[in-house]
Amino acid sequence: MIGAIADDFTGATDAAVAFRHAGLRTAILFGTPAEQPDLPPHDAIVIALKTRTVDPNLAVQQSLTAAQWLRARGAPRIYFKYCSTFDSSAAGNIGPVCDALAQQLGSPVTVVAPSAPNHHRTQYLGHLFVGGELLSSSPMRNHPLTPMTESHIPTVLRSQTERPVELVTHAIVREGRAAVRRELDRLAQLGVRYAVIDAVTAEDLDEIGAACAEDVFATGSAGLAGGLGHAIAGGARETRGHDDGAPGTVGEGLAAVLAGSCSARTLEQIALMQVEHPSYRLDALSCTDPAALAQGAVAWYDSLPAKWPAPLIYSSLGSEELQRTQQRLGTDVAAAILEEAMGRVAVALVERGVRRLVVAGGETSGSVVTALRIPGGLIGNEEAPGVPWIYTPGPDPLALLLKSGNFGDPYLLTRAIRARHVPDLQK
Ligand SMILES: Nc1ncnc2c1ncn2[C@@H]1O[C@H](COP(=O)(O)OP(=O)(O)O)[C@@H](O)[C@H]1O
Ligand SMILES: O=C(O)[C@@H](O)C(=O)COP(=O)(O)O
């Protein structure tokens, strides 16, 4: 069994998919449960937290609680899943959370591997690339909460921890799992506490996963989750795409899209969705009261003719307009207003019968799922790599698609809500 803690909700779904593709039966939980829930048989549990941008002390406390819960549930090893673009602020939270978990778990040296080649994030000589660009030149430099302006991951991590950090280069990874293991042991003996490891391909991550599969603690993106999953499952690469019987079809309920992501890919997806779908923008500059903002959006939803295509409610803005909002209201205040408003909108839409909810943005997904008090779900098929449908338990399930800001092709949102039952205006 492996227990994973993800620092945001879309990241948790990405990791859950990676475990599932490796052949592990995977359960996802939103937050650390207060009690022991009944879970279907599983080899991996992913706990989704919303700790990427909160105060570092809170992130540490929540991560430690999740790790304790997973250990008590029988997980001999813990994986901390953060973003493949190493999303963090100057204060953390990757460094502080890694420090606390490494100490709690007694990890001598901890692997740090942000690469996720299936999402085109690769690391070479410590430098993280997004597609063909360095992280610091990619759209991540304009992220509303965690702008990434340094691509050299050992440098980023050193700014967040006092523990010694060293790089394990791709040349060592290419030598294979035994060489990686030897290097980790050598670094541990030298007193190094974090080994930031290059990885360019999924095969690299399988070698790294095999090298650290017995470690009590490892960290990275969904990429290394896949590598560890393979090592634990003892499976071959062909197991990728294996279906463990989770539901594969999208529900039949009314659909809506909620977008709080301002990532470049989400903005493209929104523009394409607006061609055929009605949309409403939550504007924090015109109203700073989340309840009133949400009320305006819900009144608009209620005014839509019965058979209109699924609507979009969004707050997403391009970087210039976004900066204006952040300068006027403050970055954290603007985010808090819009996240609370989006959570309230989600609750109202579900009360009105919406049963398929597509949410764009990791923080936004965290707010929506928390507002809906959803404890966890079953992982279904992927609408895009790393973006699976999630089915909530109970007699009246919801189908959720939690989309990471930069994931999915430009038509993802449009495709996700275009299910068989959506009324066709042409008829
Ligand atoms: N118009 C806006 N002005 C200021 N902040 C915004 C605006 N729209 C969204 N945000 C905030 O930006 C953050 C986007 O983060 P997130 O939802 O994680 O998206 P992504 O997955 O793209 O990182 C959220 O906290 C959201 O509330
Ligand atoms: O690793 C990734 O890129 C994702 O799993 C992830 O964490 C995405 O975060 P958001 O872009 O904030 O949704």
Side-chain angles (χ1 to χ4, degrees), residues 8 10 50 52-53 87 140 143-146 259-264 266 281-284 314-318 321-326 329-340 342 359-367 403-406:
D8 85 342
T10 47
K50 191 173 179 303
R52 190 171 289 177
T53 56
D87 296 15
M140 278 308 298
H143 191 276
L145 304 179
T146 51
S261 161
C262 301
S263 293
T266 302
R281 186 163 77 82
L282 295 173
D283 180 3
Y314 69 109
S315 64
S316 321
L317 289 178
E321 282 180 288
L322 173 67
Q323 273 171 23
R324 263 201 297 282
T325 308
Q326 292 180 323
L329 299 177
T331 299
D332 293 348
V333 172
I337 293 168
L338 290 166
E339 287 186 31
E340 186 186 332
M342 215 51 114
V359 190
E363 299 299 320
T364 307
S365 294
S367 301
K403 188 202 84 75
S404 156
N406 280 308

Side-chain angles (χ1 to χ4, degrees), residues 124-126 167-174 180 183 196-199:
Y124 185 68
L125 295 180
L167 174 68
V168 178
T169 63
H170 193 235
I172 295 176
V173 175
R174 288 288 301 274
V180 174
E183 183 64 0
V196 179
I197 305 197
D198 281 348

Side-chain angles (χ1 to χ4, degrees), residues 8 10-11 14 52 81-84 121 221 361-362 404-407:
D8 85 342
T10 47
D14 191 17
R52 190 171 289 177
K81 178 345 185 139
Y82 39 75
C83 194
S84 57
R121 281 87 195 257
S221 69
S404 156
N406 280 308
F407 284 5

Side-chain angles (χ1 to χ4, degrees), residues 103-170:
Q103 192 167 358
Q104 182 192 63
L105 298 164
S107 169
V109 64
T110 301
V111 164
V112 174
S115 287
N118 65 326
H119 299 315
H120 310 287
R121 281 87 195 257
T122 54
Q123 184 191 301
Y124 185 68
L125 295 180
H127 294 276
L128 193 57
F129 292 84
V130 177
E133 290 175 310
L134 279 168
L135 174 63
S136 53
S137 312
S138 78
M140 278 308 298
R141 70 186 185 284
N142 296 321
H143 191 276
L145 304 179
T146 51
M148 297 304 290
T149 53
E150 169 63 66
S151 309
H152 190 248
I153 298 305
T155 303
V156 179
L157 185 57
R158 281 185 192 118
S159 72
Q160 297 179 17
T161 177
E162 292 186 351
R163 298 175 155 221
V165 177
E166 286 303 332
L167 174 68
V168 178
T169 63
H170 193 235

